[in-house]
Amino acid sequence: MWESICLTLAATAGNNIGKVLQKKGTIILPPLSLKLKVIRAYAVNKPWALGFLMDIFGALLMLRALSLAPVSVVQPVSGCGLAILSVFSHFYLKEVMNVFDWIGITVAGIGTIGVGAGGEEQKASLISVFQLLWLAFVVAILFVLLNAWLHMFKRQRREQELGEYEVVEEIIYGLESGILFGMASVVSKMGFVFVEQGFPAMFIPMCISISICCSGTGFFYQTRGLKHGRAIVVSTCAAVASIVTGVVAGMFALGEKLPTSPSGRLLLLMGWLLIVLGVVLLVTSSRLIRHLPRSFRRSRQTSLERGFNIRRTASHVQKDTNPSAVIQAATLHHLLSSPSKDKD
């Protein structure tokens, strides 16, 4: 179990850090196209090429983790990617972090330990075609209801001539993208379970292809939400929905079960809860810090600005003119998911 958790942490670290490096590299690159000159420019750009390789390597590690452990364990642990990304951005990108960021990282880490201590190795159970069809039907109905709700609010906003997104629209886009991200992990795991039950090996690449389609569609919905909505709301809903979907669908469609021992069951459930809480704290930290007492906030801000000025002076000595040297913690997930439209 610990091997699969370590693989999941390495995979999600590679995915998240890789996307940040790709984003950093695209600052001086033209919009991506199929022109040979443009492709060559991306390939020789060291940050982008390194980020791309890390992203691919992370995806391969995630597939390996899914082949070893239940998706109800892998998917929640993958939510710690934002915590790993925060630590990376603090030391590499010189990002200023607040107290809630560190609390979120600590809570998510404790939750990961709880999942590892409470999780049990499980034998693959028989997959029922009826359960798969029922799962697909439930997801389809859920999307129909969410989209109907979304169109209703869009029409209401147009009638009232409101320019800004309603919070309900941000929540819906976040939920839709998170559900698809969770289903991508479930479908990938399904391919390995089919092979273990004696089905042809072609089921693995077939399920992985469907998983890629789910992830791509999830990024599409997330990008639509991030384009006009608030990154905090969209990212939080997407992260929580992804974890809940992976757990529920894994248990319902793949026959995954909770640990048999009461202590293991408690550790696993507490681990899930702490990971979700840690992710929510990381995404909403900039909002939460505003509710602290002014005296604490002012002293905290003064110390952070002093540290920032020291790093800023050092960066000027090194003649680092990269405009992405400092990235706010609340915008990290937005930076990962936002399209390359800001280059145009």
Side-chain angles (χ1 to χ4, degrees), residues 314-329:
S315 66
H316 280 307
V317 173
Q318 298 171 1
K319 295 182 180 179
D320 184 7
T321 58
N322 187 358
S324 65
V326 179
I327 301 176
Q328 295 298 323

Side-chain angles (χ1 to χ4, degrees), residues 168-228:
V168 175
E169 297 178 59
E170 298 166 342
I171 293 174
I172 291 174
Y173 279 125
L175 291 177
E176 289 179 332
S177 60
I179 291 171
L180 287 168
F181 292 149
M183 288 302 301
S185 297
V186 173
V187 173
S188 295
K189 176 66 176 180
M190 203 175 294
F192 295 106
V193 175
F194 275 131
V195 173
E196 290 179 6
Q197 294 180 359
F199 287 88
M202 63 174 292
F203 273 86
I204 292 180
M206 184 173 67
C207 289
I208 291 176
S209 300
I210 299 174
S211 174
I212 293 174
C213 293
C214 291
S215 296
T217 309
F219 278 115
F220 170 76
Y221 279 106
Q222 189 178 54
T223 301
R224 291 187 66 179
L226 293 171
K227 184 176 182 180
H228 301 292

Side-chain angles (χ1 to χ4, degrees), residues 47-273:
W48 188 91
L50 178 60
F52 179 77
L53 292 177
M54 290 185 66
D55 203 1
I56 296 298
F57 187 64
L60 295 176
L61 289 179
M62 184 63 74
L63 290 176
R64 176 59 179 167
L66 286 170
S67 68
L68 296 175
V71 69
S72 56
V73 170
V74 173
Q75 190 63 24
V77 173
S78 67
C80 294
L82 190 57
I84 299 173
L85 177 60
S86 299
V87 175
F88 169 80
S89 63
H90 176 69
F91 291 102
Y92 179 73
L93 300 176
K94 309 303 181 185
E95 174 203 329
V96 177
M97 297 174 62
N98 60 50
V99 63
F100 288 109
D101 292 320
W102 291 113
I103 293 175
I105 292 171
T106 304
V107 170
I110 295 174
T112 303
I113 295 174
V115 170
E120 293 180 351
E121 298 290 343
Q122 299 184 15
K123 295 182 179 180
S125 58
L126 292 176
I127 297 180
S128 171
V129 177
F130 174 76
Q131 287 180 323
L132 295 180
L133 293 176
W134 179 248
L135 178 63
F137 176 75
V138 169
V139 172
I141 292 297
L142 186 59
F143 265 78
V144 169
L145 294 176
L146 288 174
N147 279 292
W149 195 14
L150 177 65
H151 287 301
M152 180 183 69
F153 272 91
K154 281 185 175 181
R155 186 174 64 252
Q156 182 179 358
R157 181 161 54 87
R158 284 194 300 266
E159 292 175 354
Q160 297 178 359
E161 297 182 354
L162 298 176
E164 297 183 355
Y165 262 37
E166 294 283 345
V167 65
V168 175
E169 297 178 59
E170 298 166 342
I171 293 174
I172 291 174
Y173 279 125
L175 291 177
E176 289 179 332
S177 60
I179 291 171
L180 287 168
F181 292 149
M183 288 302 301
S185 297
V186 173
V187 173
S188 295
K189 176 66 176 180
M190 203 175 294
F192 295 106
V193 175
F194 275 131
V195 173
E196 290 179 6
Q197 294 180 359
F199 287 88
M202 63 174 292
F203 273 86
I204 292 180
M206 184 173 67
C207 289
I208 291 176
S209 300
I210 299 174
S211 174
I212 293 174
C213 293
C214 291
S215 296
T217 309
F219 278 115
F220 170 76
Y221 279 106
Q222 189 178 54
T223 301
R224 291 187 66 179
L226 293 171
K227 184 176 182 180
H228 301 292
R230 291 167 296 175
I232 292 177
V233 178
V234 177
S235 301
T236 303
C237 292
V240 174
S242 174
I243 293 174
V244 173
T245 301
V247 171
V248 174
M251 291 185 171
F252 179 78
L254 303 179
E256 298 174 356
K257 297 178 176 60
L258 290 173
T260 53
S261 64
S263 59
R265 192 180 300 118
L266 178 62
L267 285 172
L268 186 62
L269 293 175
M270 289 299 297
W272 288 344
L273 179 61

